[in-house]
Amino acid sequence: MKLSIFSDESFMKEALKEAQKAFEKNEVPIGAVIVSNNKIIARAHNLCETLNDATAHAEMQAITSASNFLGSKYLNECTLYVTLEPCTMCASAIAWSQIGKIVYGADDDKKGFTKISKNLLHPKTEVVSGVLEKDCSEILINFFRKKRV
């Protein structure tokens, strides 16, 4: 079966490309893209080490980029694809930006927002989890395995 170029899996593959860029920069490999009308309007990956900024998560970078692209702080017509479940900081930013839909790959059992409260998001935000979960988990596992050697 051929994947649609507008499927959740297809856009998650683009987020994985961003995660790979982070991996190559020795950043925690999390990638994100934001889509509006089936078009990627923002691409980002973690830049915490590069920018020496604990808030420079992939989601935060993508939200800023998408807001600048659209000229609006609200992203209610957009979908965020991110390789790892957002943390509470990112979930709060997602809520403030009113993103219409979040699609994430791997669960974050330590710091994921769903471990605290699913109510952190805007009430209208749709959440889809587990898209390309194996691929999204694998890049993180490989990164931290490499760190421990």
Side-chain angles (χ1 to χ4, degrees):
M1 185 174 102
K2 187 177 177 184
L3 280 182
S4 162
I5 60 168
F6 302 124
S7 69
D8 286 345
E9 292 81 5
S10 177
F11 288 123
M12 187 62 75
K13 285 183 179 185
E14 294 301 315
L16 277 162
K17 289 178 185 176
E18 289 297 316
Q20 184 61 42
K21 290 177 187 176
F23 187 99
E24 290 165 7
K25 292 178 181 177
N26 208 27
E27 295 274 359
V28 175
I30 299 168
V33 297
I34 295 182
V35 174
S36 177
N37 296 317
N38 289 323
K39 178 184 176 195
I40 295 172
I41 62 167
R43 295 175 175 273
H45 53 272
N46 270 10
L47 289 171
C48 296
E49 302 302 322
T50 302
L51 298 177
N52 198 29
D53 179 356
T55 68
H57 291 193
E59 300 95 323
M60 303 294 270
Q61 302 297 310
I63 289 167
T64 299
S65 181
S67 293
N68 287 335
F69 180 86
L70 293 174
S72 172
K73 64 182 178 180
Y74 298 117
L75 304 174
N76 51 318
E77 299 294 320
C78 298
T79 300
L80 166 68
Y81 293 87
V82 62
T83 56
L84 184 66
E85 176 185 352
C87 68
T88 56
M89 174 186 69
C90 292
S92 295
I94 289 163
W96 283 108
S97 68
Q98 299 181 17
I99 284 178
K101 180 178 175 184
I102 303 171
V103 179
Y104 67 87
D107 290 331
D108 184 345
D109 294 330
K110 293 181 181 173
K111 301 203 187 248
F113 79 95
T114 60
K115 309 315 174 266
I116 306 299
S117 174
K118 292 181 182 180
N119 294 328
L120 287 172
L121 299 177
H122 189 274
K124 292 182 180 176
T125 300
E126 178 187 347
V127 178
V128 176
S129 62
V131 174
L132 299 182
E133 183 174 12
K134 184 176 181 280
D135 295 332
C136 293
S137 295
E138 206 168 81
I139 193 168
L140 286 160
I141 290 166
N142 290 339
F143 177 79
F144 287 109
R145 185 178 293 139
K146 187 178 116 181
K147 286 277 187 202
R148 291 184 192 105
V149 174

